[in-house]
Amino acid sequence: ISTNVSNYVNLQLNPERYTGYNGSHVWSAIYNENCLSHSQSFDNMCYEERVLYRLLSGMHASVNVHTSLNYFPPRKGIRTEWEPNPKRFEAQFASHPERLKNLYFSYVVMLRALRKASPYLSTFPFTITEDEELEGEEPARAGKLVQRLLDSHLLKTSCGAVFDAFDETLMFVNGTKTEHKDHK
């Protein structure tokens, strides 16, 4: 549904954790709607499709790590905090080490994107729309947190080798053009 309305959602109030919901059909749609056919193997995908697959798989792994970390909810008289489920973590990743490699790959791509966007992000006005700012101190706090991230050692040259793990300039150089599904 096409809309011009944006909603601000504080993800700290809705962290990733086990809810009992089976989202496998959602992940299947995410993979399939992004031109990733299960009929071809990873090795038969073009470079750009492999990159997209690894990014999606990394996001999927991130959700599963958080869900495993925050699996058992607080229960009166038993536990006061969310607790992890190491068996679920093992079931998700023990026989699939590529999932954790894809999580790392997604992290590297995110760090590269942050570093490249840092000149823009450091001056970005944190508002919902041009007319409506985030409530209270939130815009200033958001700006300070983003600047703290941009100034962190992770984005400085001392971690240069991390950024060499992926080079987006290698994408779409051979006139590779993948047909994308038309979403109406």
Side-chain angles (χ1 to χ4, degrees):
I1 299 173
S2 179
T3 179
N4 291 330
V5 177
S6 296
N7 291 318
Y8 171 79
V9 177
N10 185 341
L11 295 178
Q12 291 177 327
L13 300 176
N14 189 22
E16 293 172 327
R17 58 182 162 209
Y18 181 71
T19 62
Y21 177 74
N22 179 353
S24 60
H25 67 287
V26 174
W27 282 106
S28 180
I30 290 170
Y31 288 108
N32 291 328
E33 291 293 320
N34 286 287
C35 308
L36 301 172
S37 172
H38 291 295
S39 63
Q40 62 178 324
S41 71
F42 182 79
D43 294 331
N44 290 334
M45 292 178 184
C46 70
Y47 179 69
E48 293 79 8
E49 287 176 312
R50 288 193 312 268
V51 167
L52 179 59
Y53 176 84
R54 292 190 69 197
L55 289 171
L56 293 173
S57 173
M59 290 185 345
H60 195 172
S62 176
V63 169
N64 280 318
V65 167
H66 287 112
T67 302
S68 297
L69 181 64
N70 298 296
Y71 192 85
F72 297 111
R75 289 184 60 193
K76 190 173 183 175
I78 298 174
R79 59 184 161 265
T80 59
E81 303 287 330
W82 283 83
E83 291 186 5
N85 184 342
K87 289 181 181 178
R88 182 182 188 284
F89 181 88
E90 185 178 348
Q92 290 290 319
F93 299 107
S95 60
H96 299 282
E98 74 281 359
R99 293 176 180 172
L100 292 176
K101 289 178 183 178
N102 292 340
L103 173 61
Y104 173 76
F105 176 76
S106 295
Y107 182 69
V108 168
V109 171
M110 181 198 64
L111 287 178
R112 282 183 68 92
L114 278 171
R115 186 166 80 171
K116 284 184 165 246
S118 63
Y120 174 74
L121 290 172
S122 64
T123 60
F124 181 78
F126 289 90
T127 57
I128 296 175
T129 67
E130 291 181 12
D131 300 327
E132 181 183 358
E133 289 192 7
L134 295 174
E135 296 178 17
E137 301 292 320
E138 287 298 310
R141 182 172 181 263
K144 287 178 184 176
L145 288 171
V146 168
Q147 192 59 52
R148 184 173 159 194
L149 174 63
L150 298 176
D151 292 339
S152 72
H153 74 282
L154 290 173
L155 298 178
K156 299 298 179 190
T157 56
S158 63
C159 292
V162 170
F163 296 103
D164 294 337
F166 173 71
D167 182 1
E168 69 281 353
T169 63
L170 299 175
M171 296 180 66
F172 304 108
V173 294
N174 295 326
T176 306
K177 186 175 181 182
T178 305
E179 287 192 33
H180 297 283
K181 293 182 181 179
D182 187 18
H183 298 283
K184 293 182 180 179

